[in-house]
Amino acid sequence: MIRIGNASGFYGDRSAAWREMLDGGPLDVLTGDYLAELTMLILGRDRLKDPSLGYARTFLRQMEECLGLAADRGVRIVTNAGGLNPAGLAAALGSLTARLGIRTTIGYVEGDALDRPGALAANAYLGAFGIASCLDAGAGVVVTGRITDASLVVGPAIAHFGWTRDDLDALAGATVAGHVLECGAQATGGNFSFFTELPDGGRRPGFPIAEVHADGSSVITKHPGTGGAVTVETVTAQLVYEIAAPAYPGPDVVTHLDTVRLAQEGPDRVRVTGTRGTPPPPTLKVGVAGVDGHRNAMTFVLAGSDLDAKAALVRAQVEDAVGKEGLTFTRTSTEFGALLHVAIHDADARRAGRAFSSAAVELALASYPGCTLTTPPGDATPHTVFTAEHIPQGPHWAIHPDGTRVEIPPPARVEEPSAAPAGRSPVRTSERPRGAYGTRSGDKGPDANIGVWARSADDYAALTGWLSGERLAELLPEVAGHPVERYELPNLWAVNFVIKGLLARRDWLDPQGKALGERLRARLAEAP
């Protein structure tokens, strides 16, 4: 087997995790995922200020402490921290190794960047064979730009076992392991619905490890003595995160998530087997990051009586000050009273900036009784947008430690994924399911997904017979009016919902859909 750990799930994750993973026990490879969709926008703005940037600078600081330790212990490092400039990060790492006197070799992957006029960044999601090529050439560190997150695990497995593009089941199995690892501590109890049941209450979950075998099966685990837990449910929670149909397309393989089987093998050890793969699609997903105007927000605290009248007065006063265009008003209840969130979206950074926020603060002594705001005035921020498109599969390039540039050809065998059935139509019953259900939700570009899993076969049967897309919209009013796709994953006792276009709303207070699952859990408990 090959033992692959993860030390980062996003740009800004626990900075000490790289050292913790290297000190915690044996590893063959340590990966780091930095490239959420929002990160590409951040890196795009960095590159506008300084063309030599565009990569995750925190990774360099982490490597200053950890690169020598990894080299001493024979642990190879694979990361997408190269972002929009993998060559730049590879060069910076070369300078770091020279300064510190560390003997290691660095390779990198490029070919994902595309030209889209007006965009901050446009990048194709590459596969894993470029990573494998660099590792085969002896790289101790491999840096990439935009790849699929799971490729961080699939690439080392390809290099270790010598898989080819025809080893579809093995590639699919490693993709599942990569999907479980890619968000770090989310697989070991982070953001877990039943966090109160974890041994340490979820205070400091460790980072995950995948022991990948030659057939693509794996065991998900973590270092001994670290927090959180690895259970069938913590792994299920990550498996249903940010997915759509069970046929999960990637650049190297379509992974059929409805074939995955999980089994608790021992404490903090979950075996993943049965994954089937079919040829990849003929196209690559492209993420296009851009800016659509500017945003700002101020929050008024409403207390006591006459809350409706107080909110109406604020609305009139703010509209008088800056005009109605681009304003939204959202009220939430609290034990103290209510919060009135006033947001603005405008192409003019000045109107959306201090002109708006200072006008709100100026009402402090001239508005409703008890007027108070939660923040001082602030500048507007760019309103970032992320859209997806597709291009035909094409080559990318692996740059080996000796500077050799190797073309990685696209897969010769491709297929359009067959349309997966959305699961049987639920039987609408009047009585909601009684069991306890876990959820995990997230973003897929402008769409949101909510995965719901049951804790027993009977509870799963009750869930699939009751929770339709229609009923989801009854429980979560914000879903109403949006197309909902519903998919069943019986091996996982799970149902996945994809809500189309939900996250494209400018007034949305949960822009990445992270809280949707917990809102649904609360509504399930309340439903008659």
Side-chain angles (χ1 to χ4, degrees), residues 368-395:
Y368 61 89
C371 178
T372 186
L373 291 93
T374 60
T375 59
D379 295 328
T381 57
H383 178 240
T384 54
V385 291
F386 187 91
T387 57
E389 57 185 65
H390 291 83
I391 61 170
Q393 289 251 25

Side-chain angles (χ1 to χ4, degrees), residues 16-82:
W18 284 92
R19 184 63 187 250
E20 292 172 10
M21 290 298 287
L22 290 167
D23 284 339
L27 293 171
D28 297 305
V29 176
L30 187 54
T31 68
D33 179 9
Y34 288 77
L35 299 186
E37 293 170 349
L38 177 62
T39 309
M40 304 302 280
L41 292 158
I42 295 169
L43 298 180
R45 292 200 295 264
D46 284 352
R47 192 175 56 172
L48 284 178
K49 298 173 186 174
D50 184 345
S52 70
L53 298 179
Y55 55 79
R57 287 177 282 174
T58 54
F59 175 75
L60 266 182
R61 294 196 292 270
Q62 289 166 314
M63 288 302 100
E64 188 151 359
E65 178 185 7
C66 295
L67 198 54
L69 182 60
D72 290 344
R73 298 189 176 176
V75 179
R76 302 167 98 176
I77 290 172
V78 180
T79 181
N80 60 15

Side-chain angles (χ1 to χ4, degrees), residues 130-164:
I131 294 171
S133 178
C134 290
L135 292 171
D136 285 339
V141 180
V142 181
V143 172
T144 78
R146 177 82 275 179
I147 57 173
T148 64
D149 300 340
S151 291
L152 294 169
V153 170
V154 180
I158 292 170
H160 186 77
F161 296 114
W163 294 337
T164 71

Side-chain angles (χ1 to χ4, degrees), residues 304-330:
S305 57
D306 301 322
L307 298 187
D308 289 346
K310 290 172 180 175
L313 176 58
V314 168
R315 178 170 191 144
Q317 289 178 310
V318 174
E319 289 177 349
D320 287 347
V322 298
K324 294 183 179 182
E325 185 177 353
L327 288 177
T328 56
F329 298 81
T330 308

Side-chain angles (χ1 to χ4, degrees), residues 108-199:
Y108 63 97
V109 177
E110 63 181 19
D112 59 303
L114 302 171
D115 183 26
R116 293 293 184 272
L120 279 175
N123 301 81
Y125 286 72
L126 302 180
F129 281 86
I131 294 171
S133 178
C134 290
L135 292 171
D136 285 339
V141 180
V142 181
V143 172
T144 78
R146 177 82 275 179
I147 57 173
T148 64
D149 300 340
S151 291
L152 294 169
V153 170
V154 180
I158 292 170
H160 186 77
F161 296 114
W163 294 337
T164 71
R165 290 194 178 275
D166 293 327
D167 293 306
L168 295 172
D169 289 348
L171 292 170
T175 297
V176 170
H179 180 57
V180 172
L181 261 60
E182 69 190 42
C183 289
Q186 277 199 166
T188 58
N191 299 347
F192 182 54
S193 291
F194 305 107
F195 68 96
T196 57
E197 299 176 11
L198 297 172

Side-chain angles (χ1 to χ4, degrees), residues 467-487:
L467 189 54
S468 62
E470 219 176 37
R471 195 158 252 151
L472 180 73
E474 293 173 3
L475 296 170
L476 297 178
E478 59 267 43
V479 171
H482 292 272
V484 176
E485 297 174 357
R486 178 183 180 276
Y487 302 99

